[in-house]
Amino acid sequence: MTYGIHAVLWLQLGEAQNAASLFERSYANIQAPFCVWTETPQGGTTNFITGAGGFLQAVWAGYGGVRVAQDGVTVDMTLPEGTSLFALRGVQYVGSDLYLATDGVSLYSGSSSSCSSGSSSSTTSTASSTRKRSRDRAST
């Protein structure tokens, strides 16, 4: 769990290389044959849900950069190392079902249902503009 949370913090500071190193270390806790998380890479507590939760937080809060506040939600996505597209589908917020994606240059957003059907209700902005952390309210 610690590696995932530290990756979130490094990404918040804009240190993608440090985050990637810690995020990769999280994979060592996945054990065969059923790919369950353990407390340590050597074993320990089996099906360590807290560790899996930390990994998932690194995905949506770290690389996804999703932050929820009283006045709205902000998104500051970072493209994970070695990928060409990063997407979060089905992000639930105030009755909305959001789709968020980045190719490292632009941020794509819309409702999950409209993006899968190719509807034109999606919006695009440059990734650098999302890093300004402007607050956008999700609309239903």
Side-chain angles (χ1 to χ4, degrees):
M1 180 177 104
T2 303
Y3 298 134
I5 300 307
H6 286 170
V8 170
L9 297 173
W10 279 118
L11 286 162
Q12 192 169 342
L13 292 171
E15 297 286 337
Q17 256 186 332
N18 288 331
S21 169
L22 291 168
F23 185 69
E24 289 294 322
R25 289 177 74 178
S26 297
Y27 286 99
N29 293 45
I30 301 172
Q31 304 297 322
F34 302 110
C35 296
V36 296
W37 291 83
T38 55
E39 193 169 5
T40 68
Q42 296 77 30
T45 303
T46 315
N47 207 15
F48 189 59
I49 302 301
T50 308
F55 179 83
L56 291 174
Q57 285 182 4
V59 172
W60 69 265
Y63 288 102
V66 177
R67 299 292 185 274
V68 178
Q70 262 187 322
D71 61 341
V73 63
T74 61
V75 177
D76 184 12
M77 296 184 98
T78 301
L79 192 63
E81 199 172 271
T83 63
S84 59
L85 179 72
F86 177 71
L88 297 173
R89 295 178 189 262
V91 177
Q92 302 290 311
Y93 179 72
V94 190
S96 295
D97 186 21
L98 304 174
Y99 169 83
L100 307 165
T102 187
D103 58 7
V105 176
S106 298
L107 173 71
Y108 306 93
S109 63
S111 70
S112 288
S113 58
S114 69
C115 289
S116 62
S117 66
S119 170
S120 62
S121 66
S122 298
T123 59
T124 305
S125 64
T126 62
S128 61
S129 69
T130 63
R131 285 179 173 62
K132 294 179 185 172
R133 297 192 179 270
S134 61
R135 295 199 178 268
D136 292 325
R137 287 193 182 272
S139 58
T140 54

